[in-house]
Structures are given as structure tokens and as C-alpha cells.
Amino acid sequence: MTTAAPLIGLIDLAVATGHHVVDLGDLAVATGVDPAKYHVGIGQDQMSVLAPDEDIVTMAASAAAPIIERHGAERIRTVLFATESGIDQSKAAGVYVHQLLGLPSGCRVVELKQACYGATAGLQAALGMVARNPQEQVLLIAADNARYDVDSPAEATQGAGAVAMLIGTDPALLAIEPVTGVHTADVDDFWRPNDRSTAVVDGRLSVTAYVDSLLGAWDDYRAHGGLDADEIDRFCLHQPFTRMAAKAFKQLTQHTGVSRDDTAIASTFAYNRRVGNSYTASLYLALAAVLDTEADVAGRRIGFFSYGSGSVGEFFTGVVQPGYRAALRPGAVMAQLDARVPLDVPAYRKIHAGAVLPSETDAKNPHVTTAPYRFAGIVGRARRYEHTSS
Ligand code: HMG
């Protein structure tokens, strides 16, 4: 007699974003663009902006802290930190998070990168680790600060956010199913060379590359035993801007021949419309929005499309678990979004211009953030972080 493999997936999920917010209506006025282009054409209302004493580490620690508080760290043997806004070419940003959260030394920490796809690579690695040893849990954190040149068409698609997830057996939120479809193609749609702090992007190419990757990953998913489109209840697609996901979803329905109404995708947009692109966190922020804002999706199957420019795409599914609502933090994300401090366009652009602190000189950052962790500055070329209470 064979025993069924244990369910593995998301035990918990929590979110953090930046201290500031820019209203895209204000950006439209400042740049002479019709605000409808942003609100309707790209489907975005606001973008989160980091304070000078915030970065991917502070967002990641703020997102992960409530998970550690709720579950403890005894079973966490691995921290996977996915980002494309790396703060160091060598040291994993997760090592700082490990220290800030007081995680045990008996733990491996590593950083993963492939544009917005990184967190999904982390999720697949975590599933494998837990399958090998079901006693272990993995803390997976996706955190990014999306920055483009000012006055470029991409400026309105910036944003910042982190999603922390606890991966293990007995997933209270979402069980990940085994079949996945993958697609890799070498394409120059978006990248960030080592000497730049903002991304280089061919916007038009990136839109077609995204759709090609979605259809390629879907076909691979089907070729490997994936389900029919009508067996999937919700579709969370990567959201560089929400209209991108809506447009790509339309292409997918044409490709599969299964027509679907808005309920399959509408709830996935609730947070990303207000956060902006959080790169590798964006897909999982879309999941958070489904879980938080829909009345009851227990038993529903969610299809995920993760896209990282350059490019790697993956389509996979998960099933929302019975009783999942008890594992949520009702209102927590909306409260964070509402509490952000607005910036006018000149103030945001001043922060944008000074976003990279040189490592050559010691520096102290002004104390701005109200998050539990802050980037205090540079001492002896090394970054210093602290609890805001300390
Ligand atoms: P653009 O070229 O200035 O905009 O920037 P546009 O002219 O294409 O207009 C956008 C939409 O607004 C169009 O809708 C217009 O019609 C509409 P569509 O025709 O496509 O349906 N529009 C209006 N609608 C209502 N009222 C109006 C109005 N005016 C125009 N008055 C672009 C768009 C995406 C190129 C730019 O924002 C950009 O470069 N963004 C960054 C790249 C990006 O996000 N690409 C998405 C796919 S790649 C990806 O997802 C990966 C990524 O997350 C990175 C990673 O993997 O790490 C980016």
C-alpha cells in the first residue's frame, strides 16, 4: 500500500511595502500625461516609494517578522531571498534579515535572481527541500524596489514591496500542485547592467515577450499533464502593471479556447494597483489580494504565471485550503497602504535621485520610516540595519 505524499505549500504569507506613496494622478499632471493613461491604460493608481532608510532588507524583515512571531523559527532551516534589486554583489540580503529576525545559526541563507521570476524559483526549490525532509520549513522572501529612469514611459510602473512566505507541510493557505510548465528564451526586453541603478527596458518588446512566455509556459504545462483552463478558478499573472495581466489573460483565453469572465482575474489586482511593480513580489502580492479580498475561495484552484524578463516564465497551480481565512491577517495590507505618507512629484524625484548610497564613505540615514526595521547607514563600507525601537 502506498501512502499519499503530504501536501506542501504556503503555511503563511505576509506583506510589507514602502513608507511613501506617489499618486499617479499627480505624476500625470507633472509630466503632461492624461491621468486616464495610467488609471485605465496601464491600470495603476499609485506607486510605493521607499524612504531613504528603507530597502529590500527592511521590507523583507518587516514582512517576515509577523510570520516568525506566529510560528517560531525552530523548523526553519533555509531562508531564500529572491530579488533583482540586490544591495551587494556577494553577500545575500537574507543574511541581514536572518540577523534582524534573530533566526537560529543552524540555517542556510541564499539569494536568488532571475528578474521577476526569482521568487518562483525559490518556491520550487523550497517545495523540493520540504519534500526531502517534511520536518523542515523554508522562509521564502520576495522583495524588490522597482526603479526606472524618470521621464521615461516606465516611470509610472515603479513600486516597492516584499512578500514573505512560510513553506512547509500542512499548508494552511495554499497547497502547491506538482505539475508546472516552464519557458526560457534569451530576449533583451528588460535588464539592469551592474553599473546602473535603474532598469534598461524595451517596453514594447517586453509586452510581447511576456505574452510569448505565458503561452509557451502554458503549452509546456499542458504537455506535462496540466489541467484544462476551465478547471482553474482564478488566474494570478505577474503584474508589472495590472493591465498587462488583463491583456495577457485575454490572450490566454483565446489560446486555450476557454472564455472566462472577470471574476477569474479581477480580485488579483487589488493590491498591485496601489503598490506598483514590486517585481518578484508582485505575483505573490496578487495572491495575497485574492485571499484577503474575496469572501471565500476555499477549495478553489489558482493558476499562477510567473514572468521574469530576459526571460523565464512558469505556469503552475495551487489549491486554497479549507479554513484558510483563519491564517490571514484581515485588513493588514490595506492598513499599510492607507498609512503610507504621500510625496509630491518633486519630493519623490529627490528621493529617486539619491537612492544609491555610495559605499566609500560612512553615512547616517535620516530616520524617516515607521517600519520595525531601518537601514541606518554605512559604516566601514558595510550596511548597518537596526530595529526602529533600538
Ligand atoms: P507607453 O509606451 O508610454 O504607453 O508605456 P502606451 O502608449 O503603450 O500606452 C499604454 C496603454 O495606455 C495603451 O493601451 C494605450 O492605448 C493606453 P493598449 O493599447 O496597450 O491597450 N492609453 C490610454 N488609455 C486611456 N486613456 C488615455 C490613454 N492613453 C494611452 N488617455 C510601457 C507602456 C509598458 C511600454 C511602459 O510602461 C514600460 O516600459 N513599462 C516597463 C516595462 C514593463 O512593465 N513591461 C511589462 C512586461 S515585462 C515584465 O512584466 C517584467 C518586469 O516586471 C521586469 C522583470 O521581470 O523583472 C517589467
Side-chain angles (χ1 to χ4, degrees):
M1 197 178 91
T2 53
T3 48
L7 295 180
I8 306 176
L10 274 64
I11 295 169
D12 201 355
L13 172 155
V15 168
T17 187
H19 180 72
H20 289 298
V21 62
V22 171
D23 190 289
L24 292 191
D26 293 345
L27 184 66
V29 171
T31 53
V33 168
D34 179 351
K37 175 173 176 182
Y38 296 155
H39 297 310
V40 181
I42 64 168
Q44 292 298 126
D45 299 324
Q46 299 176 328
M47 59 187 192
S48 286
V49 173
L50 297 184
D53 56 345
E54 294 178 321
D55 68 5
I56 53 165
V57 169
T58 63
M59 284 193 295
S62 299
I67 293 181
I68 303 302
E69 202 175 302
R70 186 184 270 178
H71 300 275
E74 294 73 29
R75 293 175 65 183
I76 297 175
R77 297 273 294 160
T78 305
V79 177
L80 299 177
F81 192 123
T83 188
E84 59 179 298
S85 344
I87 49 160
D88 193 280
Q89 294 282 36
S90 172
K91 182 170 177 172
V95 173
Y96 295 108
V97 177
H98 176 275
Q99 186 273 328
L100 287 170
L101 297 179
L103 299 181
S105 58
C107 183
R108 63 174 77 80
V109 181
V110 73
E111 191 165 307
L112 297 152
K113 176 181 70 184
Q114 174 27 53
C116 302
Y117 171 74
T120 300
L123 176 62
Q124 295 299 346
L127 296 173
M129 288 176 176
V130 175
R132 190 179 63 178
N133 185 350
Q135 297 310 311
E136 293 188 7
Q137 296 176 340
V138 177
L139 178 63
L140 168 63
I141 310 176
D144 266 312
N145 181 19
R147 298 180 70 251
Y148 295 97
D149 290 341
V150 298
D151 282 323
S152 71
E155 184 178 12
T157 66
Q158 298 176 112
V163 178
M165 292 166 269
L166 187 64
I167 312 298
T169 54
D170 299 321
L173 293 178
L174 185 84
I176 304 292
E177 297 185 294
V179 179
T180 82
V182 286
H183 184 267
T184 291
D186 184 3
V187 50
D188 292 338
D189 64 332
F190 167 110
W191 67 104
R192 184 167 67 81
N194 283 345
D195 57 353
R196 287 182 61 98
S197 70
T198 53
V200 182
V201 62
D202 180 338
R204 299 293 157 115
L205 176 62
S206 75
V207 168
T208 56
Y210 176 119
V211 173
D212 290 347
S213 182
L214 170 60
L215 302 187
W218 173 262
D219 288 345
D220 190 61
Y221 170 74
R222 293 286 287 151
H224 286 81
L227 297 161
D228 283 335
D230 59 6
E231 293 177 82
I232 299 172
D233 303 297
R234 299 288 182 275
F235 286 80
C236 270
L237 309 186
H238 169 55
Q239 293 171 18
F241 47 95
T242 65
R243 185 90 197 292
M244 178 72 241
K247 281 166 54 166
F249 183 58
K250 204 168 163 193
Q251 303 257 350
L252 184 66
T253 56
Q254 282 163 7
H255 187 70
T256 60
V258 176
S259 73
R260 303 295 293 265
D261 66 22
D262 258 14
T263 52
I265 192 165
S267 66
T268 71
F269 300 146
Y271 295 155
N272 280 308
R273 278 193 80 95
R274 300 186 61 190
V275 169
N277 196 353
S278 55
Y279 288 159
T280 198
S282 147
L283 178 65
Y284 299 95
L285 198 55
L287 167 64
V290 175
L291 299 178
D292 285 346
T293 66
E294 289 213 40
D296 186 5
V297 283
R300 302 278 186 174
R301 175 173 286 113
I302 302 181
F304 296 88
F305 173 60
S306 179
Y307 177 71
S309 282
S311 71
V312 179
E314 181 155 353
F315 191 93
F316 62 99
T317 57
V319 177
V320 181
Q321 295 301 288
Y324 75 98
R325 293 206 69 82
L328 300 177
R329 295 177 179 76
V333 178
M334 282 300 184
Q336 270 193 66
L337 297 180
D338 291 346
R340 289 172 300 173
V341 176
L343 288 177
D344 61 20
V345 173
Y348 130 69
R349 284 194 169 176
K350 198 171 162 204
I351 287 183
H352 188 284
V356 182
L357 208 54
S359 64
E360 297 298 319
T361 359
D362 286 4
K364 266 190 178 177
N365 280 326
H367 196 149
V368 180
T369 186
T370 49
Y373 305 95
R374 62 183 293 271
F375 170 30
I378 306 275
V379 179
R381 293 191 173 172
R383 292 169 91 89
R384 294 285 176 252
Y385 293 92
E386 62 188 21
H387 292 255
T388 47
S389 52
S390 59

